[in-house]
Amino acid sequence: MKNIQPVKGFSKLSKAAKLEWLISQYSQRPELSQAMLSGYWHTDAEVQKLHDEFIENTISNYYLPFGVAPNFLINGKLYALPMAIEESSVVAAAAKAANFWLDRGGFRTRIISTRKIGHVHFIWEGIQPLQLTEFFNNTKSKFFDNAEPLTRNMVLRGGGITDIQLRDKTALEPGYYQLEATFETCDSMGANFINSCLENFAKTLQTEIAEAQNLTPEHRQVQIVMSILSNYTPECIVRAEVSCPIEEINEGSGIGNMEFAEKFCRAIRIAEIEPYRAVTHNKGIMNGIDAVVLATGNDFRAVEACAHAYASRTGSYRSLTHAEIKDNHFVFSLEIPLSLGTVGGITNLHPMVKFAHEILGNPGAPELMQIVATAGLAQNFSAVRSLITSGIQKGHMKMHLLNILNQLEATEEEKAQIVEYFKDHVVSYSETVRVFCSIRGVAAQSK
Ligand code: MEV
């Protein structure tokens, strides 16, 4: 084990020097590491420079597969969904659901609301709530006026600050209040816009307190704790739905139509009442959502954090999807908060992200919300359909087979033979190793 010392001023080093330091300190195989990292650089130096500048201390790129799931009929329009994801079966499952619903009228989606939210969190102990309310009401218009240089462009695009309210949180923490502001951010996710506005409100608050005639010195003791958007956006909601007559629900999955529909609804109900199942169930939804969110250059951490908070809004963690049988129809839906952007961030910079937007027809944020929600609903449909019929492993392991074969360093010829073999056998790791070894003529434990 090397005696590793802390490094000073790492971010100021050139890329080559950063690599050299890292490899000399941490790599077991310096030459291989160097070749591998530089092998992942883009061949076009301009594109590589773009990537280098997305974050600090870039030393290489990190590839994920970029796949497409075609045949998504959403509100009558056909899309091919771009998906960036490492999990073998996700794109296949999305594509399967898209084809299934293509013949049954496709996905219907709608935006329920698009409001974003943010807060100035502050502590003001020396004031009575009523006095603060009066101060806030007298000051409210100044928050809008002073932020006008920041909001001008957004207002021209149809957005801006929609409201600012004073929230009394003193029951939770002595002296704790918030300025709670709501925003419309049009096609941008809006994080920078919202945070800039909030910091501007905080400044206005401080100035107005300093200048208020009727406040004594002890009344002026205010601490602005922080100004930040909330990634919880329960008022930025989209709904996606599919439905079909019961007699059309169950093509080729081996059980009767009504039995399938009822079993499906029961599986969803279990995810509505049992948090252990709900987490896995929602993870399956996020398989589809994250893949499109990532491909389109959006903030998947924000989307994830918000989705799970929303899934807990009743006080217990529940399924984000709902299924029911209504008027002899199977109806399956998802309602989810999605704060997405189609301008800003890396959306106009990253070549693959730009391509993802292009194949989607360069949608605005509301259209992208509907596309992403559809991906989530489709993914959940495929997962639950497999779970209640064949089980999940059949499809999952079939897609994972090539990963196992690559791990075993199988040749293309061996891969072709083994894939052929598994067309009518159940894939498992041990069975793959057994077949691989028998083709190679080696004992199973030798690889
Ligand atoms: C695997 O990535 C996702 C599933 O576990 C989702 C589910 O169980 O609904 C298959």
Side-chain angles (χ1 to χ4, degrees), residues 45-268:
E46 284 294 305
V47 177
Q48 186 51 51
K49 191 162 178 295
L50 260 180
H51 284 70
D52 288 351
E53 290 174 0
F54 285 148
I55 60 167
E56 192 165 89
N57 297 345
T58 312
I59 53 163
S60 190
N61 305 313
Y62 183 93
Y63 288 6
L64 276 182
F66 181 99
V68 280
N71 297 336
F72 267 94
L73 185 64
I74 307 175
N75 300 333
K77 185 171 164 188
L78 262 181
Y79 295 85
L81 301 199
M83 303 180 91
I85 188 148
E86 89 300 344
E87 190 174 327
S88 326
S89 54
V90 169
V91 175
K96 203 168 162 190
N99 282 327
F100 182 90
W101 288 105
L102 179 65
D103 300 333
R104 292 164 178 81
F107 296 81
R108 289 177 308 281
T109 60
R110 72 186 158 87
I111 297 291
I112 293 176
S113 50
T114 53
R115 260 184 310 280
K116 318 271 170 73
I117 200 160
H119 301 94
V120 178
H121 303 266
F122 62 99
I123 304 290
W124 197 344
E125 286 189 283
I127 198 159
Q128 291 305 312
L130 273 180
Q131 203 181 358
L132 179 52
T133 304
E134 193 190 332
F135 169 82
F136 172 74
N137 290 337
N138 293 336
T139 315
K140 187 167 173 176
S141 62
K142 298 251 174 59
F143 293 116
F144 289 90
D145 295 347
N146 293 350
E148 201 274 335
L150 296 171
T151 58
R152 199 174 298 144
N153 281 341
M154 191 62 89
V155 170
L156 285 176
R157 280 152 52 197
I161 308 161
T162 49
D163 197 11
I164 308 174
Q165 290 295 332
L166 175 71
R167 299 276 178 234
D168 181 343
K169 298 277 169 175
T170 52
L172 301 172
E173 176 74 13
Y176 175 30
Y177 296 91
Q178 300 169 341
L179 290 180
E180 182 175 275
T182 46
F183 303 86
E184 287 291 346
T185 61
C186 307
D187 286 333
S188 66
M189 188 235 186
N192 286 331
F193 169 72
I194 294 173
N195 288 335
S196 300
C197 288
L198 293 168
E199 288 185 5
N200 190 276
F201 300 159
K203 261 197 211 132
T204 299
L205 182 62
Q206 277 170 318
T207 316
E208 291 303 311
I209 291 167
E211 289 174 1
Q213 303 293 325
N214 58 345
L215 294 178
T216 61
E218 65 272 19
H219 279 143
R220 295 182 206 275
Q221 299 301 311
V222 176
Q223 184 189 50
I224 306 288
V225 181
M226 58 192 155
S227 308
I228 186 75
L229 92 168
S230 173
N231 286 122
Y232 186 45
T233 54
E235 291 184 41
C236 185
I237 300 273
V238 56
R239 180 183 167 86
E241 186 182 296
V242 283
S243 68
C244 70
I246 296 290
E247 50 280 13
E248 290 175 17
I249 187 57
N250 177 26
E251 210 173 59
S253 59
I255 58 174
N257 292 323
M258 187 51 95
E259 187 188 349
F260 175 90
E262 284 175 351
K263 198 172 175 193
F264 195 104
C265 291
R266 181 159 289 160
I268 303 296

Side-chain angles (χ1 to χ4, degrees), residues 270-271 273-283 317-318:
I270 288 172
I273 56 177
E274 167 52 75
Y276 277 98
R277 171 59 199 147
V279 172
T280 318
H281 176 95
N282 288 344
K283 186 275 183 185
Y317 187 89
R318 296 167 63 97

Side-chain angles (χ1 to χ4, degrees), residues 363-384:
E367 189 179 347
L368 185 60
M369 285 167 72
Q370 295 174 76
I371 294 168
V372 170
T374 299
L377 185 68
Q379 206 70 44
N380 190 225
F381 179 76
S382 271
V384 176

Side-chain angles (χ1 to χ4, degrees), residues 395-414:
H396 190 76
M397 289 308 287
K398 200 163 158 195
M399 293 310 301
H400 192 53
L401 178 60
L402 285 180
N403 287 345
I404 302 175
L405 293 175
N406 285 333
Q407 220 177 314
L408 296 169
E409 295 171 12
T411 63
E412 289 308 310
E413 209 176 298
E414 287 165 342

